[in-house]
Amino acid sequence: MSKSIRKTKSPAKILEVKINGKLVKEKNSTETFLSVLRILGPKKIAEMKDVKIEGLPLVVSSKDYRMQLSALDNHWYACTHMPTKSKKNLLERIAKLLDVKLKVEMY
C-alpha cells in the first residue's frame, strides 16, 4: 500500500499596511486587505476597469458566482481568492493608480 504524499501548507502570511499615517493590521491578510480596500474606496476601485482578478473585476456591487467574494459594506464585495503576495501587489498597484501613499509589509 502506497502512502500519498501531501504537500504541507506553509504558515499564513500577515499583511501590515501603513496608509495616511495609520497602521492597518487585522487578524489575517484577507481582513487587512478588505480593511484597506474600504479605506481606499470600493466605488473608486470598482470604476477601475483594469483592476481585475482572473479577468473579472476585483470589486463588484453584487455577489456573483465566485465563491470567495467578501463583503466590504452593504453594497460592495471584493474577491479575496488569491495568495497574500498577490493581495500585497494589488494594494500597491491600486494605491499608485489612486495616487495614495501606502506601504505594505508582508511577513
Side-chain angles (χ1 to χ4, degrees):
M1 180 159 39
S2 68
K3 291 183 178 181
S4 65
I5 300 172
R6 297 185 89 180
K7 184 179 175 185
T8 57
K9 200 171 178 186
S10 55
K13 301 270 192 263
I14 300 292
L15 283 180
E16 190 175 277
V17 181
K18 288 185 183 172
I19 182 170
N20 300 329
K22 179 183 174 188
L23 178 66
V24 180
K25 181 181 174 187
E26 305 294 347
K27 65 181 179 179
N28 59 47
S29 64
T30 297
E31 291 301 320
T32 301
F33 180 71
L34 293 170
S35 289
V36 174
L37 292 180
R38 287 180 193 108
I39 292 168
L40 294 172
K43 185 175 185 211
K44 287 181 195 173
I45 298 166
E47 291 170 350
M48 295 177 170
K49 300 301 177 202
D50 61 335
V51 177
K52 297 184 183 261
I53 302 299
E54 297 176 5
L56 297 169
L58 170 65
V59 175
V60 293
S61 61
S62 60
K63 278 199 162 198
D64 58 28
Y65 65 89
R66 291 180 280 180
M67 290 174 54
Q68 287 188 306
L69 281 176
S70 300
L72 291 166
D73 58 24
N74 291 333
H75 185 71
W76 297 104
Y77 297 86
C79 177
T80 56
H81 184 67
M82 66 190 88
T84 301
K85 183 159 181 59
S86 296
K87 289 177 180 129
K88 175 186 185 296
N89 293 338
L90 200 49
L91 288 175
E92 291 170 336
R93 185 167 156 235
I94 292 167
K96 187 174 182 177
L97 290 168
L98 292 173
D99 198 27
V100 172
K101 285 195 174 209
L102 175 134
K103 182 173 181 173
V104 184
E105 297 288 333
M106 184 176 82
Y107 54 92

